Amino acid sequence: MVLTPERKTELIKEYGKSETDTGSPEVQVALLSARIDYLTEHFKSHQKDFHSRTGLLRLVGKRRQLLNYLRKKDIQGYRDLIARLGLRK
């Protein structure tokens, strides 16, 4: 399992507006980023896992869509989120 329930709850508390907020773009981007980080580490030892690589590309695309939405709706929230997650270096 990529994300344990404890880690998922921790991310929701950290990035959500409340403890049950799982639908906000900030929480969704944080959860996707955690899965992307896990898969990136996975590919360091499993270079030929092309099926999972396709899933990784879908996750990256979905995260990009959510970030674009957040940038249009709340530019300051977007800037805070990418700084907290360390996405733009």
Side-chain angles (χ1 to χ4, degrees), residues 2-3 11 30-40 55-56 59:
V2 177
L3 282 177
L11 286 171
L31 292 174
L32 286 172
S33 294
R35 290 179 64 193
I36 289 169
D37 291 342
Y38 171 80
L39 283 173
T40 303
L56 173 67
L59 292 176

Side-chain angles (χ1 to χ4, degrees), residues 63-64 67-68 71 78 81-83 85-89:
R63 182 175 70 177
R64 179 76 256 156
L67 286 171
N68 286 341
R71 186 174 62 205
Y78 168 79
L81 182 63
I82 60 173
L85 289 173
L87 295 179
R88 307 283 177 264
K89 294 180 172 122

Side-chain angles (χ1 to χ4, degrees), residues 8-16 18-19 21-22 27 31:
K8 191 172 183 178
T9 305
E10 180 182 309
L11 286 171
I12 291 170
K13 284 181 184 178
E14 184 177 349
Y15 292 98
S18 69
E19 289 187 15
D21 177 25
T22 58
V27 173
L31 292 174

Side-chain angles (χ1 to χ4, degrees), residues 34-89:
R35 290 179 64 193
I36 289 169
D37 291 342
Y38 171 80
L39 283 173
T40 303
E41 290 298 318
H42 170 79
F43 289 126
K44 290 182 180 176
S45 59
H46 302 92
Q47 294 88 6
K48 295 186 178 185
D49 188 0
F50 298 112
H51 185 73
S52 294
R53 192 172 305 273
T54 303
L56 173 67
L57 292 176
R58 285 185 181 185
L59 292 176
V60 170
K62 185 66 171 176
R63 182 175 70 177
R64 179 76 256 156
Q65 288 175 346
L66 287 167
L67 286 171
N68 286 341
Y69 170 79
L70 188 60
R71 186 174 62 205
K72 283 191 279 186
K73 295 295 181 185
D74 180 19
I75 189 68
Q76 190 57 44
Y78 168 79
R79 290 179 181 151
D80 293 341
L81 182 63
I82 60 173
R84 287 169 65 188
L85 289 173
L87 295 179
R88 307 283 177 264
K89 294 180 172 122

